[in-house]
Amino acid sequence: MSNAVFKIEKPKNEPVLSYAPGTKEREELKARLVELRTQEIEIPLIIGGKEVRTGKLGMCIIPHNKEVVIGRYHMAGEKEVNDAIEAALAARHDWESMPWEHRASIFLKAAEMLAGTCRCTINAATMLCQSKTAYQAEIDSACELIDMLKFNAYFLNEIYKEQPESTKDSWNRMEYRALEGFVFAVTPFNFTSIAGNLPTSAAMAGNVVLWKPASSAVYSAYHVMTILRKAGLPDGVINFIPGPGNVLGSIALLNPWLAGVHFTGSTATFQSMWQTVGQNLPNYRTYPRLVGETGGKDFVFVHPSADLEPLVTALVRGAFEFQGQKCSAASRAYVPESMWPALKKRLVEEISTTKMGDIEDFTNFMGAVIDAQAFRSIKGYIDYAKESPEAEIICGGNADDSVGFFIEPTVIVTTNPRFKTMEEEIFGPVLTIYIYKDEEIEEALDLCDSTSIYGLTGAVFAQDREAIVKIEKRLTHAAGNFYINDKPTGAVIAQQPFGGARASGTNDKAGSKINMMRWVSPRAIKEHLNPPVGYRYPFMDEK
């Protein structure tokens, strides 16, 4: 048995490839896109390492070319969820007993596969499945997922090194156990990296996992699962069970062995899950860990001293990259009256140059929204604004689902700071702007802080340093990730640990040691080296 103390060096963030004309990666990615687009795969469940086919199928389509089917996936039902729980629990003891360095090695190998031979495949799968541009896929399914795997192994190593003080008579130790049961990982459609991180972060710490990917992103999630298996993940550690959330959740959340939930998705869904767990507390073996990131209504607050051009760039990128389908996307902006004429002109000019269409055309800045349901929901908000006397659409506003689910980048200007599109999460390419009087900046800050139930990301644009200090302090609780003179999107692992409070989640900061602490259960051990003999203490003696 090894008695060495192993060390993982602090990783460096994965470099982002450019995919510029003439580069090798561009050529490889374009070829892989054609290969994946022209074949249809069958996606089974993976339970206890076995491929399971239920015959109840869902389709994986290309959002920007909705008639093209690139996969059909088998959906789990009650039996499969119970089988997955049984398989996870059967694997639990061997997995948590495996030396941590061997557990970590599996995920470090997966990271290297993603950085090398699998990079163009995972990026192409994400581009086709989620209608991401090459750049958006690269920073997500390649770089961020690689960083998640490498940094989480490093963070786990750092946690294991944290030990209590000992004394002359006692040797005190801390061990970091896995949770007693299984973790239910429920992942979103919008980021392949999040889909990969939620099950693997828990598994790396010795836990066994049930992984329910979003129905609209099963295709890219399956490619992640395939890479993990090729990297050596033992059977039953992560069980891949796509299917209806209400069916899977109603079984997994009520099982006595539920030890944790790792979730990214809607606030309503997470609150429902929390309520279910709360009502079932007496039946669990342990208090389940609930870790969730649930969306945002992210703001850009503009001070009169802001620089115009960086602001325009931040609004266009922050609101419309990946069709606004980021939890962190800029969705509302507060602009001083003195800046508005110049900003309006430049914003409309800049947006008019953006192209939208098939992501295989690398000149496109935007693709399609994820599916028909999202299309209808986003279009409903735009139609509401069109009909309201309190709003004006200054660019965009059109939607077309004849070929794919395309919605133009849309900017709404409202006279009502609590207009519907200023308050509610839209999850689409819609930015709403409220223009405040320069002398009423305090009132505008109050509105920015209080209008939304969320508290995920936000940004301030200003050159006046005193104003930056004041606004940063005033909006302390408005955003868990706060940006100064930058768009409110694009958090990088280990640089800007990600998460918010209020209705945006539990703020357990993915991409940091904070998150990894949630998947261990510490045990303190005291070994007395010089045990006392006799019960009497000195104070009990008489002179």
Side-chain angles (χ1 to χ4, degrees):
M1 178 178 291
S2 173
N3 59 7
V5 178
F6 299 103
K7 177 183 179 183
I8 294 179
E9 295 293 337
K10 188 173 184 178
K12 295 184 184 300
N13 293 105
E14 180 69 15
V16 179
L17 300 183
S18 72
Y19 298 90
T23 58
K24 180 182 178 183
E25 66 263 18
R26 183 186 181 99
E27 180 182 338
E28 291 177 346
L29 181 58
K30 278 184 170 285
R32 194 67 177 125
L33 282 164
V34 174
E35 291 173 4
L36 294 186
R37 173 170 47 79
T38 53
Q39 59 182 263
E40 181 183 313
I41 64 171
E42 181 186 10
I43 300 174
L45 312 177
I46 308 294
I47 298 175
K50 295 182 173 60
E51 295 186 353
V52 176
R53 293 169 172 81
T54 64
K56 186 176 181 182
L57 297 174
M59 287 196 306
C60 305
I61 66 168
I62 298 177
H64 49 270
N65 196 352
K66 64 182 185 179
E67 300 304 321
V68 177
V69 179
I70 51 176
R72 298 181 191 270
Y73 66 94
H74 292 263
M75 289 190 277
E78 181 176 352
K79 177 184 183 305
E80 290 73 35
V81 179
N82 285 321
D83 288 348
I85 293 172
E86 185 177 326
L89 295 177
R92 183 169 73 92
H93 292 293
D94 286 345
W95 179 241
E96 69 177 348
S97 298
M98 181 180 286
W100 79 268
E101 67 273 12
H102 287 281
R103 291 199 313 265
S105 293
I106 294 167
F107 300 103
L108 292 174
K109 181 175 181 178
E112 292 306 322
M113 292 169 65
L114 284 162
T117 57
C118 297
R119 193 182 199 115
C120 68
T121 296
I122 198 66
N123 280 345
T126 297
M127 290 171 72
L128 294 172
C129 177
Q130 288 120 293
S131 197
K132 289 199 172 189
T133 63
Y135 176 74
Q136 290 297 309
E138 169 71 6
I139 61 175
D140 167 25
S141 49
C143 296
E144 183 162 305
L145 184 50
I146 292 165
D147 286 350
M148 285 285 193
L149 295 170
K150 289 185 176 181
F151 275 98
N152 281 347
Y154 169 76
F155 293 142
L156 194 62
N157 189 195
E158 293 297 294
I159 290 169
Y160 289 165
K161 288 193 297 187
E162 291 184 6
Q163 293 296 316
E165 298 295 323
S166 294
T167 68
K168 175 175 66 70
D169 293 327
S170 64
W171 183 19
N172 299 316
R173 313 189 281 276
M174 188 84 83
E175 69 176 15
Y176 296 89
R177 306 167 296 180
L179 307 183
E180 193 177 11
F182 68 88
V183 173
F184 186 36
V186 181
T187 64
F189 80 83
N190 56 341
F191 281 92
T192 302
S193 56
I194 299 176
N197 176 57
L198 267 55
T200 59
S201 55
M204 195 180 295
N207 297 288
V208 289
V209 181
L210 270 62
W211 176 14
K212 189 212 114 40
S215 296
S216 50
V218 173
Y219 184 83
S220 53
Y222 178 67
H223 279 83
V224 173
M225 186 66 188
T226 300
I227 291 168
L228 293 173
R229 296 181 76 196
K230 287 181 179 178
L233 185 71
D235 296 344
V237 172
I238 295 177
N239 298 277
F240 182 77
I241 50 168
N246 59 341
V247 175
L248 277 60
S250 64
I251 300 164
L253 294 176
L254 296 178
N255 191 280
W257 287 94
L258 178 73
V261 173
H262 208 182
F263 175 86
T264 295
S266 76
T267 298
T269 299
F270 191 54
Q271 289 180 350
S272 175
M273 294 170 79
W274 197 300
Q275 288 173 334
T276 299
V277 169
Q279 292 165 359
N280 200 50
L281 279 178
N283 299 322
Y284 297 124
R285 293 180 62 87
T286 187
Y287 290 103
R289 306 280 179 90
L290 302 179
V291 176
E293 194 270 291
T294 56
K297 188 66 180 175
D298 310 294
F299 63 84
V300 175
F301 193 92
V302 184
H303 184 265
S305 67
D307 274 354
L308 180 63
E309 292 305 320
L311 171 61
V312 171
T313 300
L315 290 174
V316 174
R317 287 183 171 181
F320 304 127
E321 281 185 315
F322 186 40
Q323 299 76 261
Q325 296 174 123
K326 300 181 181 182
C327 302
S328 57
S331 187
R332 57 190 170 114
Y334 300 83
V335 177
E337 193 174 48
S338 60
M339 278 198 71
W340 177 236
L343 176 58
K344 178 181 179 180
K345 180 177 181 294
R346 285 293 299 119
L347 190 59
V348 172
E349 286 174 351
E350 200 73 357
I351 293 172
S352 69
T353 68
T354 62
K355 287 181 59 182
M356 176 175 63
D358 191 327
I359 49 79
E360 290 189 60
D361 177 354
F362 281 23
T363 66
N364 284 324
F365 176 68
M366 294 170 59
V369 299
I370 192 66
D371 57 23
Q373 182 179 345
F375 178 87
R376 288 191 297 269
S377 174
I378 299 163
K379 185 176 182 297
Y381 281 100
I382 294 172
D383 290 343
Y384 178 86
K386 285 180 179 179
E387 296 169 4
S388 173
E390 295 180 320
E392 176 192 4
I393 295 176
I394 63 170
C395 64
N398 297 312
D400 183 354
D401 63 350
S402 57
V403 176
F405 306 111
F406 291 105
I407 295 179
E408 288 182 342
T410 299
V411 178
I412 300 168
V413 179
T414 182
T415 57
N416 177 5
R418 296 188 182 275
F419 190 65
K420 183 175 182 177
T421 62
M422 289 289 285
E423 289 187 329
E424 298 180 14
E425 184 180 40
I426 300 174
F427 227 64
V430 180
L431 172 66
T432 306
I433 296 174
Y434 173 71
I435 302 158
Y436 68 88
K437 294 184 182 300
D438 291 44
E439 64 272 19
E440 295 178 359
I441 189 170
E442 294 295 336
E443 292 85 345
L445 284 167
D446 289 340
L447 286 168
C448 183
D449 187 43
S450 64
T451 295
S452 170
I453 63 172
Y454 299 100
L456 188 55
T457 75
V460 57
F461 271 80
Q463 290 304 302
D464 183 329
R465 180 53 57 176
E466 289 184 357
I468 291 172
V469 172
K470 180 179 180 179
I471 293 169
E472 179 184 345
K473 184 174 179 60
R474 177 63 188 81
L475 299 178
T476 294
H477 294 288
N481 284 63
F482 189 75
Y483 298 81
I484 299 170
N485 292 320
D486 196 7
K487 59 185 173 61
T489 69
V492 177
I493 304 306
Q495 294 185 34
Q496 298 94 29
F498 190 77
R502 296 182 177 172
S504 287
T506 56
N507 202 14
D508 284 293
K509 294 299 185 192
S512 77
K513 187 166 69 172
I514 297 169
N515 185 275
M516 293 304 294
M517 278 296 300
R518 298 288 277 152
W519 308 117
V520 296
S521 179
R523 178 168 75 152
I525 300 170
K526 174 186 176 181
E527 181 176 349
H528 212 309
L529 305 176
N530 186 25
V533 177
Y535 76 91
R536 296 183 64 83
Y537 293 96
F539 81 90
M540 300 171 67
D541 294 338
E542 295 288 348
K543 289 185 179 179

